Amino acid sequence: MYDIGTRRRALALLRSGATNAAVARTLHIPPGTISAWKHKDRAQRGECPGRVYRPLCPRCDGRGLDEAAYAYLLGLYLGDGHISHPRQHRVPSLRITLDDAWPGVQQEAVTAVRTVFPDNTASWVRKVGCHDVKVHSRHLVCLFPQHGPGRKHERAIVLEQWQQEIVDAHPWSFIRGLIHSDGSRIVNWTEKTVGGRMKRYEYPRYFFTNTSDDITRLCTDTLERVGVSWRSRRRATGAHDVSVARRDDVALMDRHVGPKR
């Protein structure tokens, strides 16, 4: 226990700008005690210890939003992203899992996160064969209202009107996000006999694979909006394979999406 005079002297030093460690050394008091005194003193004076500034939200506060970056990030979220809020954390976090085979996609994803959440810190979480790009924000659910309990393919996924307007304005950014998360560009090949000689023919195509009927429909609706034809088949696992194979459509996809890198 310390007398009131010692405590008042410690608080006077802290209010003058001295660090916790310096006050602890000067008064020969444990740093933890000094920290507790400082916290209580600031709370009693109406000051919030730590960061006072709270990042603004495009939905709650009208902050500007880079819509193209958001459309891309929305595509990534619907494919490989999820929001969680453990009880021990103050705010929820968004994680988007990205394969280490595509470092360019990983960099594009973290750039989009930093653009959509300019006041928050984006970080990497390393896993076996992949990385999670992660960001904490109390406004995640404001920007991604599709969040909810259970897996995405087990619940309805419907865009709100303001989200649909952004996707309509930036369809290629949204498609790019979907392809970068649950899609691919592959090169098929076949051999034919022409003039008695065997020739090899190669043709690229795009795939988007997802188990959710709603997310698959968002993909195909957006493809149709930009004039890309597609075909779909359902796997035995229940997942949908959306294929873009016509030469002109692949060329259009190459101009706006391109291979993963």
Side-chain angles (χ1 to χ4, degrees):
M1 296 294 293
Y2 299 91
D3 60 70
I4 189 65
T6 300
R7 181 167 179 167
R8 286 175 176 170
R9 184 182 176 192
L11 293 178
L13 290 171
L14 291 169
R15 292 175 184 175
S16 69
T19 64
N20 291 13
V23 175
R25 288 193 300 269
T26 299
L27 301 181
H28 305 289
I29 297 174
T33 301
I34 297 297
S35 178
W37 288 353
K38 180 178 181 178
H39 181 92
K40 186 174 182 179
D41 177 57
R42 296 187 67 183
Q44 289 174 341
R45 289 189 292 148
E47 297 181 2
C48 180
R51 292 182 61 184
V52 175
Y53 173 71
R54 291 187 177 184
L56 300 179
C57 171
R59 299 299 300 162
C60 301
D61 309 301
R63 174 179 66 78
L65 176 65
D66 187 312
E67 294 187 350
Y70 174 76
Y72 175 73
L73 189 58
L74 177 61
L76 290 179
Y77 163 72
L78 292 177
D80 287 326
H82 73 278
I83 295 173
S84 61
H85 193 175
R87 292 182 178 179
Q88 66 270 29
H89 294 172
R90 292 186 298 109
V91 296
S93 64
L94 167 67
R95 288 175 180 252
I96 299 174
T97 303
L98 300 165
D99 197 306
D100 287 342
W102 318 115
V105 172
Q106 292 180 340
Q107 186 56 53
E108 192 167 347
V110 75
T111 299
V113 170
R114 289 169 177 166
T115 302
V116 175
F117 298 95
D119 301 313
N120 301 80
T121 300
S123 60
W124 288 106
V125 179
R126 186 174 183 178
K127 295 183 176 180
V128 178
C130 64
H131 278 73
D132 286 347
V133 58
K134 182 178 181 181
V135 65
H136 290 84
S137 172
R138 67 181 68 252
H139 297 290
L140 282 171
V141 179
C142 305
L143 290 176
F144 300 100
Q146 287 70 38
H147 169 65
R151 300 177 180 179
K152 294 191 192 82
H153 68 273
E154 296 174 344
R155 64 179 190 270
I157 301 294
V158 180
L159 298 186
E160 294 193 359
Q161 181 62 34
W162 65 269
Q163 291 179 297
Q164 188 63 62
E165 291 174 357
I166 290 176
V167 170
D168 290 345
H170 305 277
W172 284 113
S173 296
F174 181 62
I175 292 170
R176 187 176 177 84
L178 291 174
I179 296 297
H180 280 184
S181 58
D182 277 344
S184 62
R185 182 189 188 275
I186 66 171
V187 177
N188 288 346
W189 64 273
T190 186
E191 292 182 337
K192 294 182 180 180
T193 302
V194 180
R197 299 182 60 182
M198 186 68 71
K199 289 189 175 182
R200 178 186 174 100
Y201 294 89
E202 295 183 348
Y203 52 98
R205 66 196 306 176
Y206 282 84
F207 279 102
F208 175 73
T209 303
N210 196 285
T211 305
S212 168
D213 294 346
D214 291 338
I215 295 175
T216 300
R217 189 176 303 108
L218 288 172
C219 177
T220 55
D221 285 352
T222 310
L223 288 173
E224 291 177 359
R225 192 170 295 114
V226 296
V228 172
S229 58
W230 53 272
R231 291 185 177 181
S232 178
R233 69 177 181 89
R234 186 183 287 271
R235 296 183 181 183
T237 60
H240 298 273
D241 278 333
V242 176
S243 170
V244 176
R246 289 181 65 252
R247 180 180 300 177
D248 291 346
D249 295 324
V250 170
L252 186 57
M253 294 282 286
D254 281 345
R255 287 199 295 270
H256 294 279
V257 179
K260 289 183 179 181
R261 301 188 187 280

